[in-house]
Every structure is written in C-alpha cells, then in structure tokens.
Amino acid sequence: MLFRSLENIVKNLIQNGKAKDTPVALIRWGTTPKQQTITGTLENIVQRVREAKLKAPAIIIIGHVVSLREELAWFDARPLFGKRIIITRARAQASALVQKLSDLGADCIEIPTIEISPPKDITPLQNSIENIKQYDWLILTSVNGVKFFFDTLFGMGKDVRILGHLKFACIGPVTKERLRDYGIVSDILPETYRAESVVKAFSDMDMPDINMKDKKVLLPRAKKARTILPDELEKMGAQVDAITAYETLLNEDGKKELIDRLRKREIDAVTFTSSSTVSNFMSLIDPAEAKSLMNGVLVASIGPITSDTARELGLEPDIEAEEYTIPGLVDALLSHYLTD
C-alpha cells in the first residue's frame, strides 16, 4: 500500500509541474525511539523507500523544508537513539533509569524481574524497633532498607525522635540521600558502594567511639543478602542483629514478552541493577535456550557483585559501571555506545 500510494503521489506531482529534484522525506513512528526517516527527491524516493523496506503508516513531507533535516535532526541524533534496552529493575524503582536512558534516545522496555515487598512476618523488625534503645548503630544498605524500616517505624505509631541516640552508616549516596529525607545525616558513607567498604570505613574512621567492640548494631536488610557485612562486624567485636526488612520476589509477568523479543532479536541490551534481577531474569529463560537468546545482546551490570552473580549463572557482563549507581550504569552504557 505504501509503495503504490507513494508512486501515485510522486507521478502526479511530477506530471503537474513539480520538479524531479524536489526534496522528499518519509517518517515512520515519528517522535518515538522507533522513528525511521528516509529522505530523497521525487525522482528517487520510491526506490529508496523500497530499499529501506519502510512500511506504513508513514508521513510524507514534500518541499525544500526537508533540506533542513540535517540542521534540525536533534531527535534521532541522540547517542542511544533506537537502542532497545530491557529494564529488569522493580517497576516502582525503575523510573530514574528509564528517564535517563529515554532522554538519551533509548527505547526502554520495562520487564521487571523482581518485586519488592515487606516480609511475611514483620514481628522481628517491630521487636527491634520496640527495643531500639539497646542499639548503638543502625546500618542501612539500600534505599529499600530505608523505606521499609521507616514504614514499619511509622506504622507502629513512632517517629524519628526515638532514633536520636543512634549513629548511622549507609551504603551508597542514594541510600544516604533517602535517609536524609527523614532528617537524618549518615555518620559513615564508604568510598565505594559495597558491604566490604562499610567494614573498611569503620576500621578507618578516626572517631573516639568508633571502636565496635560490644557495640550493638541493627542491620535491616533484604531477606536474602550477603553475610560479609555482619560477619566482618562481628569479627570487630560488634553484636549484629541482621533483621529482614523486605524481600525480593520473582516477577514472571513479563516472561512471554521477554522470550518473544529475544527470539525476534529485538533487544540490544539488558540492564541489571542487583544480583536478584540477574538470578530472576535467568530463571525466566530456559537454560537450554539461554545462550542462543542472549547472543548479541549487551549485558550491562551496575557493579561487581551483580557481575559475579551473572557469571555464576553463565552470563558474562559486557559493561560494568565504575560507580555502582544508576547514573554510573547510564554512563557506562553511553561510553560503550559512543566508543563502539
């Protein structure tokens, strides 16, 4: 239909006096990451559209305004324009990553492999809050830990005044900023955003009361989490209560779309922002088909822990963020495509 209509339009324009060298452009899916633009003249546009296999629907623009395309083509000149990138992060937390990648031109496909929820039994966390006076330190390892700790605190009819005696440590600047939203400034923020760095930060801090011997630490975190932080703090003499504040569950809602898109080779990259996004992603794919499905798909990891999990599951990351944050992951993708 598109070819026949275009041929008819071009033929009639030329027959009625339009010059053969008049510029023409056809645009499909305009102003979206799928935008496809074919330019030419009345004399050659039909052939160019046929060669490009452009399909309807498409908008036809005729006239010298088309000559301004190179000057005005900011939209499809963005560095990630047209790259189809799967976002595996929980939908409630994916907006920042989606926004940053979309602003760079990417076509973001949200297929969350995890969902974050309170633990089935919140009694242990409630008991810890009820006895908060016995703790010296509160260590928060993620934004989720902050959210669910304070949700539980407020749900018990209490407020931040009961935390006034505590010292705080956070992993990552985003966690620190989320804590600050509640009016609390973290005493410790490690140089890098891993549990090992928190341990090192405790060891390096020149504070008279930093000695962790016999200090009681409350560590609200994910149900499934690495043991290195509580283990190392206990080696320093601390008494650590690692309490489940939230859990990450498998989200299978996007399984069919994921498999279909991978089979059709519609995906350029997949982003992983935690170990659980990787393990859940791989659980959605038939192991016998995984290598074939991921062939040619760029694997982008937010940091070394996530990368290690990917490798354990047979998935080698192509990109690893230098700064283990969402902006760091975006920068890593951008750098890869700009130097590719």
Side-chain angles (χ1 to χ4, degrees), residues 86-89 97 113 269-282 285 294 298-303 306-307 310 315 317 319 326 329:
I86 287 182
I87 310 298
T88 58
R89 205 176 197 200
L97 180 56
T113 62
V270 179
T271 59
F272 295 113
T273 55
S274 66
S275 289
S276 55
T277 59
V278 182
S279 55
N280 286 3
F281 177 89
M282 294 302 288
I285 299 175
M294 294 301 293
L298 192 78
V299 176
S301 162
I302 200 169
T306 302
S307 296
L315 202 59
I319 295 173
I326 294 302
L329 181 58

Side-chain angles (χ1 to χ4, degrees), residues 21-26 38-45 48 66:
D21 62 355
T22 302
V24 182
L26 273 80
I38 307 299
T39 59
T41 64
L42 286 176
E43 187 173 31
N44 61 23
I45 191 64
R48 289 191 176 188
V66 174

Side-chain angles (χ1 to χ4, degrees), residues 284-303:
L284 298 178
I285 299 175
D286 183 346
E289 197 179 6
K291 186 175 181 179
S292 171
L293 290 177
M294 294 301 293
N295 183 38
V297 177
L298 192 78
V299 176
S301 162
I302 200 169

Side-chain angles (χ1 to χ4, degrees), residues 63-270:
H64 290 288
V65 68
V66 174
S67 303
L68 297 174
R69 168 170 164 71
E70 295 303 319
E71 183 179 343
L72 301 177
W74 63 271
F75 184 80
D76 49 0
R78 292 175 296 171
L80 299 184
F81 179 77
K83 298 297 183 186
R84 291 159 296 186
I85 301 176
I86 287 182
I87 310 298
T88 58
R89 205 176 197 200
R91 195 175 297 279
Q93 298 177 324
S95 58
L97 180 56
V98 170
Q99 185 64 56
K100 289 178 182 299
L101 292 176
S102 297
D103 287 346
L104 291 168
D107 181 8
C108 293
I109 302 162
E110 291 189 59
I111 302 182
T113 62
I114 64 171
E115 56 185 62
I116 312 297
S117 71
K120 293 181 176 63
D121 182 10
I122 64 169
T123 304
L125 182 56
Q126 289 175 326
N127 289 341
S128 296
I129 293 173
E130 200 65 58
N131 297 293
I132 198 70
K133 291 297 182 184
Q134 70 178 316
Y135 294 103
D136 301 292
W137 283 87
L138 178 60
I139 301 179
L140 297 158
T141 60
S142 69
V143 169
N144 289 320
V146 176
K147 168 182 164 49
F148 286 98
F149 175 82
F150 282 97
D151 282 353
T152 305
L153 176 75
F154 298 148
M156 295 170 64
K158 303 181 185 299
D159 61 39
V160 295
R161 288 175 295 178
I162 71 168
L163 309 177
H165 67 289
L166 291 170
K167 291 193 177 300
F168 291 80
C170 291
I171 292 184
V174 180
T175 305
K176 177 186 175 183
E177 289 306 311
R178 189 71 180 94
L179 179 63
R180 197 181 185 92
D181 290 342
Y182 294 95
I184 299 171
V185 177
S186 179
D187 296 279
I188 288 181
L189 181 70
E191 291 183 6
T192 58
Y193 319 133
R194 300 173 64 180
E196 291 88 337
S197 294
V198 176
V199 175
K200 185 176 185 302
F202 273 104
S203 302
D204 292 347
M205 285 290 287
D206 184 19
M207 294 170 61
D209 56 350
I210 201 65
N211 188 337
M212 295 303 291
K213 184 172 174 57
D214 297 325
K215 291 292 191 292
K216 292 211 67 174
V217 177
L218 178 58
L219 179 61
R221 59 182 192 160
K223 183 177 181 179
K224 295 180 181 179
R226 301 165 70 223
T227 63
I228 184 168
L229 181 53
D231 288 350
E232 292 299 317
L233 288 172
E234 287 173 355
K235 288 179 183 178
M236 296 169 68
Q239 301 173 42
V240 182
D241 284 344
I243 305 296
T244 298
Y246 64 96
E247 54 185 315
T248 56
L249 306 176
L250 174 64
N251 186 336
E252 297 184 279
D253 293 347
K255 180 176 180 177
K256 184 179 184 303
E257 180 183 4
L258 172 65
I259 302 301
D260 286 348
R261 286 184 177 273
L262 288 173
R263 283 176 176 165
K264 293 176 182 177
R265 303 297 177 198
E266 293 180 351
I267 303 303
D268 295 294
V270 179

